[in-house]
Amino acid sequence: LLGAAILIWTGVASWKIMTASVLGALFVGGLGDLAGVSAVPCWEQLLLGGFAFGTVFMATDPVTSAQTNAGKWIYGFLTGVMVILIRVKNNAYPEGMMLAILLMNVFAPLIDYMVVRCNVRMRKRRMQKSKN
């Protein structure tokens, strides 16, 4: 927690990615609890393995993570989702944080591209409405 506070205070790490990652893990973990898929409660998934370390120090890497504000929320949420899915569904790979981060790092530029394209489309619609 001290490391997370220092990284957020200095502006190196994004609190949005950290928060969204926890929310994504809790969301899928909660669904797993409701469906009876996971033997481990969703809140306990946050304490197991490298989830906290990966969320604070690896997923928030400013070079490989999403750069847009909306992209950071999407990137973090999907990272949390992927961690729990990998842990629960893949018996051969019990710790899914690193794999989830690698997968989401591959998709971070696509997430940013889609967010920018969506913003451009919305601005064009606003311009057309204001002209009419």
Side-chain angles (χ1 to χ4, degrees), residues 39-130:
V40 180
C42 66
W43 61 270
E44 213 171 295
Q45 292 278 4
L46 303 178
L47 304 174
L48 293 174
F51 184 83
F53 181 81
T55 297
V56 172
F57 295 106
M58 293 190 298
T60 59
D61 179 30
V63 176
T64 59
S65 63
Q67 301 299 311
T68 59
N69 285 330
K72 289 178 183 182
W73 284 103
I74 296 167
Y75 171 85
F77 188 82
L78 292 176
T79 300
V81 167
M82 290 301 298
V83 169
I84 304 303
L85 288 177
I86 291 168
R87 283 180 178 179
V88 171
K89 289 296 181 185
N90 190 357
N91 295 331
Y93 200 70
E95 179 53 45
M97 191 63 190
M98 192 64 200
L99 182 58
I101 291 171
L102 287 173
L103 286 172
M104 291 315 301
N105 283 347
V106 169
F107 290 108
L110 179 64
I111 292 169
D112 282 337
Y113 175 78
M114 296 304 291
V115 167
V116 169
R117 292 293 301 154
C118 190
N119 285 337
V120 168
R121 273 191 233 120
M122 288 190 328
R123 286 183 180 187
K124 282 183 181 178
R125 285 184 193 149
R126 275 188 266 160
M127 288 282 292
Q128 289 173 353
K129 285 182 182 180
S130 67

